[in-house]
Amino acid sequence: MSAGSAAAAAAWQSEDPVVLLHFAGHTFEPLVSGALFWRAESMLLVADLHLEKFSSFARRGQMLPPYDTGLTLKRLERDLERTRAERVVSLGDSFHRNDGVDTLLDADRLRLLALLGRAHWTWLSGNHDPLPHALGGICVEMLEHRGLTLVHEPKRSGGRATIAGHLHPAATVVANGHGTRRPCFVHDGRLLLLPAYGAGTGSMNILGPDFHGLFDHAALEVTMLGRNRLYPVSPRRLVAGA
């Protein structure tokens, strides 16, 4: 970590205490934005930006305000300013379609290029954007780093501990008769899933069928995103459904 990153880390530590995730021998700091900061590696991990999602819908006749990309990039700007991360890894589905690179508004393209100039970027291919692009950084199918496999689509296996995205995990809890559903980080010591980062993305309940067989529920750890803070939640409080 550079001297500038160390100074930024010290300044951050003087703010509100952070929630820590201990996964596969490493310590991570989940952010309320949905990003995951790996301080020891000065690396910011994000999943499922889905840039240009609304413009993609507009091209198919579903007219939605094309502001999702700008909102997502502003969120990234704040996280990079806060963490001073020297590396960014986007865990696939960075664009909603491969042609999203070509439909960026000029202001969004300039903002993204400025972000690419502030850190070393690695783009992992996803099911929405499997082809490499020429924006900057490097484009790869997966990345192995410090004993971890970083990839888009999660798979349960006996191999390396894995960090992935793709499923847009969310948790639902009930308190005082009212259900609350929020995006979440979830892991069982072998597989860690990040919530979708993009402003135009949805989410799926981690107790739903798309997650069956992925996790050892006896070892599950869940951290929900609140409006202004993070909430570690006991798996016993989770409910299925919405």
Side-chain angles (χ1 to χ4, degrees), residues 3-233:
S5 296
W12 192 5
Q13 287 173 339
S14 67
E15 299 176 5
D16 293 337
V18 296
V19 173
L20 300 179
L21 292 183
H22 302 287
F23 175 75
H26 301 283
T27 299
F28 300 88
E29 298 171 26
L31 307 185
V32 73
S33 63
L36 188 67
F37 184 42
W38 192 353
R39 185 182 298 280
E41 300 299 313
S42 193
M43 181 185 292
L44 189 71
L45 305 173
V46 291
D48 298 282
L49 306 180
H50 283 273
L51 300 174
E52 293 299 282
K53 179 177 181 178
F54 287 0
S55 71
S56 175
F57 285 180
R59 294 180 69 179
R60 300 199 303 270
Q62 247 181 303
M63 301 308 294
L64 296 171
Y67 303 136
D68 57 314
T69 295
L71 291 172
T72 300
L73 294 178
K74 287 179 182 177
R75 186 177 295 167
L76 263 173
E77 284 176 339
R78 289 194 297 269
D79 283 343
L80 278 174
E81 288 170 1
R82 187 180 187 190
T83 62
R84 297 294 192 268
E86 296 168 354
R87 296 191 65 181
V88 176
V89 177
S90 185
L91 300 173
D93 284 1
S94 304
F95 286 86
H96 192 67
R97 292 167 59 95
N98 276 315
D99 61 8
V101 176
D102 301 318
T103 62
L104 285 164
L105 297 174
D106 288 343
D108 291 335
R109 182 180 296 275
L110 289 173
R111 180 177 284 116
L112 179 53
L113 290 175
L115 291 173
L116 287 166
R118 293 170 57 175
H120 179 278
W121 282 66
T122 301
W123 307 88
L124 304 189
S125 58
N127 57 297
H128 278 260
D129 55 354
L131 301 180
H133 56 72
L135 279 173
I138 60 172
C139 301
V140 296
E141 291 187 3
M142 52 87 72
L143 177 67
E144 293 193 353
H145 188 74
R146 301 295 187 192
L148 302 180
T149 297
L150 311 182
V151 69
H152 178 61
E153 296 193 42
K155 294 181 181 179
R156 186 68 185 178
S157 69
R160 287 191 173 195
T162 300
I163 300 177
H166 181 56
L167 290 178
H168 302 205
T172 301
V173 297
V174 175
N176 300 321
H178 298 285
T180 298
R181 171 175 165 166
R182 297 290 298 172
C184 69
F185 297 89
V186 56
H187 79 87
D188 64 354
R190 295 299 301 170
L191 173 63
L192 168 59
L193 295 187
L194 272 62
Y197 191 86
T201 55
S203 60
M204 296 192 295
N205 193 308
I206 58 176
L207 297 185
D210 290 292
F211 295 84
H212 285 173
L214 283 179
F215 292 111
D216 174 3
H217 282 255
L220 209 61
E221 293 189 15
V222 179
T223 303
M224 295 175 68
L225 309 186
R227 289 185 180 274
N228 300 302
R229 56 165 293 189
L230 297 157
Y231 296 89
V233 177

